[in-house]
Every structure is written in structure tokens, then in C-alpha cells.
Amino acid sequence: MIAGGVSYLPGAIPALFSFRMKLRNHEVLLQQMAEFDVTAAACTDPADRDAVEHHVRELFRDSNSPLAADTQRGTLDDAEALPGQDLHGDPLDRFNAYVRATLRESMMAQIGDELYLPWRLCLTASLPMTLYSTVSVLGCDNEPCAESAQMQGYRSTAQYMFTQGCFWLLTLLISYPVVFPILLRMLKRVLTYGDGPVQLLLGILCCCLAYGHCTMCISWVVASLTCFMQSYSPTLLLIFLLVLVVQVVQVTWLFSPNARGTQKQPSGRSVLRQVQYDVVQEGGSSGLESSSSSGLESCGLLDCS
């Protein structure tokens, strides 16, 4: 099983480049949303700018703006009260505030910051090992199961196969997935050294360390569980439980909601404003010219794909 974990090491090199790209693109996305300004949008056709701004003003005019109710009651979030913006006046400023705060906050709650990866996604990335685990358990190390159990010190074939199944299940759930968020955090530090051979060498070193840590976590689970099953004692049970607790804490820390990079979920007002915005968009767009839609696409405010 340890050899199976080490076999993942060649995949560390592609992971280095793909994770580095993920970090950069995600960070750029969040930065662009934090500094969003509709008046600075680059339009393919400059003539579309008037149509875009007209469309935004219609959606965010005083009577229907998703931010209007909060602005009038003085309950606007601090993050949305951006310097130099007249939230009681220009609808374009209200739209900028909506993108910079409400929309960005909602997106962060869904996908997290550049260091966040969902546990289920990391579990899916370990699918080859999941399939291999079936071969390992049922194949009995390419020997008759009774002989493998006897050679490895188990009292029965059932005990041998039960132990094999347990440590595969545990390692697939709490050991293999941690390599990806750990590698992301290490590469985040490496990117501060700029592009060049130093960054590449440090990145390769980080990949080896991350995958080595994963293999070490697997070894702890396998060794503690095997010793406990073969030679039961309260001390061995305590060691096995301690290993599990440490790794569960590690997984919880790496994949908890706080790891998304947000301090809170979208507020009730944020969700309400999103609903209001959708209603306004559906109701108000009927009175606009069809050129507005093409203008939004031209200026990159709609997904043309």
C-alpha cells in the first residue's frame, strides 16, 4: 500500500503547474472583483459603452436597486460603503458596490479563496487509489488469502481482509485527500519568489514534501491499525485512536468552512439583494433594446460562451 502511495509521486510535477495556474487565476479573479469599476470595462466596440451603462442604470436606478432599501435605512454593510462612492446617487456606483461586496462575498462563500479545495473534489482525485484498493483487498497481495494472512501474522483470513478493508477506507477518507490543500498552501509561498528556476526548484521540493507527508499519514494509519489488530492491547488501541484523532483534526482544519477564506456566510440582506436583483433583471430587461445585451457581451459583463 505504501508503494501505491509513492506511485502517486510522478503526478506531483503536473500538479505543480496546474496548481500554480489555479492559484494565479483564482487570485486575479478575486482581485478584479474587489476593484471592479463598470466605467473602466474594456468594450470590443466602444459604441457599446453607452448601451451598457444605460442597462446598468435601469437595473440599479433608485426605485429598483438591490442596494436601495439598505441604503435608505442606513444598514449597508461596511464592506459595501466604498470610499468615493455615492450610493444614494449614481446607479453605476451602486452596481460597483454590488459586484465588489455582495457578489464577491457570495462567490467567496461558494468557492472560497485561492487556497480552498472541497474535500469531495480531493476525494474524487484519489479515485485511482479507490479502484486499486478493491484489487488490493480482494487480491490478497497476489497470494492465496489464507497464505497471505498467515505470512503477515493474522490469526484468520477474515481478520486479515477486515484489516485491509479498514485501513484502505480510513486512508482514502482522511489521508490521501490532504495532499492537495497542503500542496496549494506550500506553492502559495513559493510564488512569492517570482518566476524562474528558483521557484521551479522550490515547487518541485514542495511537491515531494506534500506527497511525502501524505505517505507518512498513510503509514501511521496502516502501522497502528495492523499492530492493534494483530496484538490487541489498550496501549495499541490508544495509539491507533490518537493517530485517527490527529488526522481527523488535520482534515477538519484543511477542509472546514473557515478554510474558504471568508469569515461569514452571505448575510440575509445579501441573499435578499440577490433575489431582488434577479427580479429586477427579469422585469426590467423587457423594456430595453436588444442592443443592450450585445453591448454587455461586448464589454465582458456577460459570458459570451
Side-chain angles (χ1 to χ4, degrees), residues 37-113:
D37 187 355
V38 65
T39 60
C43 298
T44 304
D45 184 355
D48 290 332
R49 183 174 300 279
D50 291 338
V52 170
E53 293 186 0
H54 174 71
H55 190 81
V56 171
R57 290 180 189 277
E58 285 293 322
L59 294 177
F60 283 80
R61 62 183 181 271
D62 291 345
S63 59
N64 293 319
S65 169
L67 297 177
D70 287 338
T71 303
Q72 293 170 1
R73 290 194 299 266
T75 58
L76 195 64
D77 293 337
D78 292 339
E80 294 169 317
L82 300 175
Q85 289 191 331
D86 182 10
L87 298 180
H88 298 271
D90 191 356
L92 297 183
D93 284 342
R94 288 196 294 272
F95 178 61
N96 290 337
Y98 177 82
V99 174
R100 294 179 183 181
T102 306
L103 185 60
R104 186 175 185 272
E105 178 184 307
S106 178
M107 189 192 70
M108 287 280 288
Q110 294 296 322
I111 66 174
D113 63 7

Side-chain angles (χ1 to χ4, degrees), residues 13-263:
I13 304 303
L16 167 62
F17 295 100
S18 61
F19 280 16
R20 185 173 62 176
M21 183 181 300
K22 189 265 185 191
L23 285 169
R24 288 174 173 172
N25 292 344
H26 201 132
E27 186 175 10
V28 168
L29 171 64
L30 296 178
Q31 185 66 25
Q32 287 179 342
M33 293 190 72
E35 300 174 353
F36 178 81
D37 187 355
V38 65
T39 60
C43 298
T44 304
D45 184 355
D48 290 332
R49 183 174 300 279
D50 291 338
V52 170
E53 293 186 0
H54 174 71
H55 190 81
V56 171
R57 290 180 189 277
E58 285 293 322
L59 294 177
F60 283 80
R61 62 183 181 271
D62 291 345
S63 59
N64 293 319
S65 169
L67 297 177
D70 287 338
T71 303
Q72 293 170 1
R73 290 194 299 266
T75 58
L76 195 64
D77 293 337
D78 292 339
E80 294 169 317
L82 300 175
Q85 289 191 331
D86 182 10
L87 298 180
H88 298 271
D90 191 356
L92 297 183
D93 284 342
R94 288 196 294 272
F95 178 61
N96 290 337
Y98 177 82
V99 174
R100 294 179 183 181
T102 306
L103 185 60
R104 186 175 185 272
E105 178 184 307
S106 178
M107 189 192 70
M108 287 280 288
Q110 294 296 322
I111 66 174
D113 63 7
E114 65 271 18
L115 296 178
Y116 179 74
L117 285 174
W119 176 78
R120 288 179 294 181
L121 180 61
C122 295
L123 193 64
T124 303
S126 303
L127 182 60
M129 295 306 296
T130 304
L131 299 176
Y132 175 72
S133 66
T134 305
V135 178
S136 177
V137 174
L138 299 180
C140 299
D141 296 328
N142 297 321
E143 298 286 346
C145 293
E147 293 183 11
S148 293
Q150 184 178 8
M151 286 188 298
Q152 297 185 33
Y154 291 95
R155 291 186 292 272
S156 66
T157 302
Q159 184 192 43
Y160 164 71
M161 298 192 70
F162 176 77
T163 305
Q164 293 277 321
C166 283
F167 69 60
W168 267 113
L169 178 63
L170 291 173
T171 55
L172 287 171
L173 292 177
I174 64 176
S175 298
Y176 280 102
V178 302
V179 65
F180 304 111
I182 289 176
L183 181 56
L184 269 181
R185 284 162 171 77
M186 298 175 74
L187 291 180
K188 175 69 173 179
R189 299 290 184 180
V190 169
L191 289 180
T192 60
Y193 288 89
D195 293 326
V198 175
Q199 183 194 99
L200 180 61
L201 291 176
L202 290 176
I204 294 175
L205 177 61
C206 289
C207 289
C208 295
L209 291 175
Y211 279 82
H213 175 76
C214 175
T215 303
M216 183 176 62
C217 292
I218 296 169
S219 302
W220 288 347
V221 174
V222 174
S224 60
L225 178 60
T226 301
C227 292
F228 167 67
M229 294 297 293
Q230 292 182 349
S231 305
Y232 172 79
S233 72
T235 301
L236 292 176
L237 175 60
L238 181 61
I239 293 174
F240 171 64
L241 293 178
L242 180 62
V243 169
L244 285 186
V245 168
V246 170
Q247 296 208 32
V248 168
V249 170
Q250 176 181 241
V251 169
T252 303
W253 175 68
L254 291 172
F255 297 105
S256 66
N258 291 333
R260 291 173 180 257
T262 54
Q263 298 298 322

Side-chain angles (χ1 to χ4, degrees), residues 44 293-305:
T44 304
S293 177
S294 61
L296 288 172
E297 293 179 354
S298 171
C299 292
L301 300 181
L302 288 179
D303 186 1
C304 300
S305 60

Side-chain angles (χ1 to χ4, degrees), residues 266-279:
S267 62
R269 294 197 307 278
S270 298
V271 176
L272 177 60
R273 285 193 293 269
Q274 178 65 52
V275 174
Q276 291 174 333
Y277 174 74
D278 292 339
V279 172

